[in-house]
């Protein structure tokens, strides 16, 4: 099993940004956060919830997306999601938890 520092996080941030911006162009990848769930690396992304509810519902149905709690900032609801990658850190996660 790989350790958290064994992954190429710059590559993961880039791939997560490419994926999430297909659906939500104003999304922000939270560089500097490194999370593992078991052996799978997860990249945190955030974006405004307003105007994106249908896309959020679609994304939450994908196996490569993990729900994260949101926050309220200056009257705006910010949604946080995790983009899950495979154990080798090269592709988006497609299996089961």
């Amino acid at each position: 099993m790989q350790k958290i520092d064994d992954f190429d996080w710059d590559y993961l941030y880039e791939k997560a940004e490419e994926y999430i911006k297909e659906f939500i162009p104003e999304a922000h990848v939270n560089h500097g956060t490194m999370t593992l769930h078991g052996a799978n690396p997860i990249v945190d992304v955030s974006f405004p919830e307003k105007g994106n509810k249908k896309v959020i519902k679609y994304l939450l149905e994908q196996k490569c997306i993990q729900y994260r709690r949101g926050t309220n900032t200056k009257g705006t609801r910010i949604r946080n999601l995790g983009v899950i990658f495979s154990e080798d850190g090269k592709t988006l996660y497609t299996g089961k938890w």
Side-chain angles (χ1 to χ4, degrees), residues 9 19-20 45 55 58 69-70 79 86 90 94 97:
W9 287 96
Y19 177 72
I20 203 71
V45 296
V55 174
Y58 170 77
R69 288 184 176 225
R79 173 64 69 176
S86 60
K90 298 192 186 310
T94 57
W97 288 118

Side-chain angles (χ1 to χ4, degrees), residues 17 21-22 26 40 46 54 82 85 88:
E17 187 167 7
K21 288 200 177 207
E22 286 180 35
E26 67 270 16
N40 298 77
S46 57
K54 288 182 182 179
F85 288 87
D88 63 3

Side-chain angles (χ1 to χ4, degrees), residues 4-96:
I4 202 162
D5 292 330
D6 294 339
F7 293 99
D8 181 359
W9 287 96
D10 291 331
Y11 172 81
L12 295 174
Y13 296 142
E14 181 183 323
K15 290 300 174 188
E17 187 167 7
E18 286 175 14
Y19 177 72
I20 203 71
K21 288 200 177 207
E22 286 180 35
F23 304 101
I24 304 170
E26 67 270 16
H28 171 74
V29 173
N30 300 320
H31 295 263
T33 59
M34 296 183 279
T35 308
L36 289 180
H37 181 66
N40 298 77
I42 301 175
V43 173
D44 294 332
V45 296
S46 57
F47 49 86
E49 187 173 283
K50 186 175 182 180
N52 293 312
K53 290 189 179 195
K54 288 182 182 179
V55 174
I56 292 168
K57 184 177 178 184
Y58 170 77
L59 287 171
L60 289 174
E61 294 171 355
Q62 306 308 304
K63 293 181 181 188
C64 64
I65 297 293
Q66 182 182 54
Y67 172 80
R68 304 282 178 120
R69 288 184 176 225
T71 58
N72 290 320
T73 305
K74 297 179 183 175
T76 302
R77 179 76 177 159
I78 302 297
R79 173 64 69 176
N80 299 317
L81 299 176
V83 179
I84 307 167
F85 288 87
S86 60
E87 289 182 9
D88 63 3
K90 298 192 186 310
T91 59
L92 293 173
Y93 182 74
T94 57
K96 280 199 221 178

